[in-house]
């Protein structure tokens, strides 16, 4: 990734979303040639010179201090995730995190844990490649793709590709736009933390080329970790479900995460999840033969 250009884009998008009155400044005149704050207004708020801020936004200053970055974060009213992203972009050589050059694999203990879980569970790397999933996780998120795909590094499903390039995702997520915004925000955070990761950059480039919706969202520069929340599904086998999710980082794994889902006890969603689990258990595959999630349907497989 072109980190200096990314830094400039990020700062400009954050300036654009604030108006002078939002930060206690008086806006003189009726005509403003730029949306949001001007460079000089932001520099004033952050306590830096306009020339210095301009160089920073243009990617010409790679040694911004913590104090300057903290002041900019306060002036721009950045969230903690956005603040961390600003630091990564401003000083890419100091993150101390380098992604694994080769495809990763989930550890034996992690795979055993996922297999033993009674709820949908998936292991993802920082690029959102699926490294492992249990039958219920496979059935919930992508039962139409090959369940054995995570075991083949060159054919692994990628949840970002599925979301933006697979028509099944539009049916699975009735709030697809919400899912798309959340996915891009998480990918932005990963890209800022790992600017040297070639495979991650290739994924982003592919999605920008193949999905206009992804490209439009990417240009807005959203940033959010998205480690917990609620996802709404309309599953082709069991219908509507509202599930809580938790995304937990796995230590010493170069950014691997465990994504697990659960339903509120006694809710219709819990009943639907039990029905899906029963389907997986009885059929031995995530769905009956001949249905939309049949084992033989590989026509829409999106792999890494």
């Amino acid at each position: 990734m072109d980190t200096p250009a990314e830094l400039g884009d990020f700062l400009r998008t954050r300036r654009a979303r604030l108006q002078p009155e939002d930060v206690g400044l008086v806006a003189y005149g009726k005509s403003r040639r730029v949306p949001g704050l001007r460079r000089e207004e932001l520099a004033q708020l952050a306590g830096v010179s306009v020339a210095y801020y301009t160089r920073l936004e243009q990617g010409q200053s790679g040694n911004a201090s913590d104090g300057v970055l903290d002041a900019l974060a306060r002036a721009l009213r950045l969230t903690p995730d956005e603040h961390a992203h600003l630091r990564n972009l401003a000083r890419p050589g100091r993150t101390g995190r380098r992604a694994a050059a080769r495809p990763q694999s989930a550890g034996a203990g992690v795979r055993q844990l996922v297999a033993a879980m009674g709820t949908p569970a998936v292991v993802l790397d920082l690029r959102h490649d699926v490294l492992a999933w249990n039958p219920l996780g496979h059935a919930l998120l992508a039962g139409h793709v090959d369940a054995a795909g995570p075991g083949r590094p060159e054919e692994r499903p990628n949840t970002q590709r599925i979301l933006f390039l697979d028509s099944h995702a539009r049916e699975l997520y009735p709030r697809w736009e919400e899912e798309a915004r959340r996915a891009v925000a998480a990918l932005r955070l990963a890209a800022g933390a790992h600017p040297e990761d070639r495979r991650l950059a290739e994924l982003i480039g592919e999605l920008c080329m193949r999905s206009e919706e992804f490209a439009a969202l990417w240009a807005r520069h959203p940033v959010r970790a998205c480690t917990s929340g609620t996802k709404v599904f309309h599953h082709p086998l069991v219908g509507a479900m509202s599930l809580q999710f938790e995304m937990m980082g796995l230590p010493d794994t170069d950014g691997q995460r465990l994504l697990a889902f659960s339903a509120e006890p006694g809710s219709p969603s819990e009943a639907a999840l039990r029905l899906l689990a029963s389907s997986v258990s009885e059929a031995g595959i995530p769905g009956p033969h001949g249905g939309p999630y049949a084992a033989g349907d590989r026509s829409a497989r999106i792999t890494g």
Side-chain angles (χ1 to χ4, degrees), residues 42-58:
L42 178 55
Q44 175 187 341
L45 288 169
V48 299
S49 71
V50 177
Y52 178 82
Y53 175 76
T54 300
R55 290 197 302 272
L56 186 64
E57 192 172 284
Q58 292 176 345

Side-chain angles (χ1 to χ4, degrees), residues 240-288:
M241 286 187 289
S242 179
L243 303 180
Q244 286 71 51
F245 74 90
E246 295 290 336
M247 185 86 78
M248 296 159 279
L250 299 175
D252 303 320
T253 59
D254 292 314
Q256 293 181 21
R257 294 150 297 154
L258 173 62
L259 172 61
F261 296 87
S262 64
E264 183 179 352
S267 67
S269 294
E270 184 188 41
L273 198 55
R274 284 201 306 267
L275 182 59
L276 182 61
S278 177
S279 173
V280 171
S281 177
E282 292 175 3
I285 58 172

Side-chain angles (χ1 to χ4, degrees), residues 185-247:
L187 196 61
R188 267 287 185 190
L189 197 60
H194 301 279
E196 78 294 337
D197 190 293
R198 179 180 57 81
R199 293 177 61 232
L200 179 58
E202 289 173 350
L203 170 66
I204 293 166
E206 175 192 351
L207 292 174
C208 283
M209 291 293 293
R210 298 180 62 185
S211 170
E212 293 182 0
E213 289 152 313
F214 180 90
L217 287 169
W218 189 257
R220 299 176 192 171
H221 220 122
V223 177
R224 187 155 60 97
C226 306
T227 55
S228 63
T230 301
K231 291 180 182 281
V232 177
F233 298 90
H234 189 274
H235 198 277
L237 296 180
V238 299
M241 286 187 289
S242 179
L243 303 180
Q244 286 71 51
F245 74 90
E246 295 290 336
M247 185 86 78

Side-chain angles (χ1 to χ4, degrees), residues 70-151:
D70 292 347
L72 285 171
R74 288 191 297 270
L76 290 168
R77 300 187 176 182
L78 301 185
T79 67
D81 288 337
E82 291 172 332
H83 191 173
H85 187 62
L86 173 64
R87 285 176 176 246
N88 288 335
L89 293 180
R91 298 181 301 186
R94 305 183 194 179
T95 62
R97 295 186 293 272
R98 298 191 66 84
R102 297 179 180 178
Q104 299 182 42
S105 296
V110 173
R111 294 197 305 272
Q112 181 176 317
L113 172 65
V114 168
M117 294 177 68
T119 60
V122 181
V123 179
L124 302 170
D125 68 9
L126 66 91
R127 309 170 191 92
H128 297 257
D129 284 348
V130 177
L131 305 183
W133 49 19
N134 60 15
L136 196 50
H138 171 234
L140 174 66
L141 297 181
H144 61 293
V145 309
D146 189 352

Side-chain angles (χ1 to χ4, degrees), residues 168-180:
H168 287 80
R170 308 287 178 141
E171 303 168 6
L172 181 63
Y173 297 106
R175 299 178 183 175
W176 185 88
E177 292 81 5
E178 177 182 315
E179 286 299 314

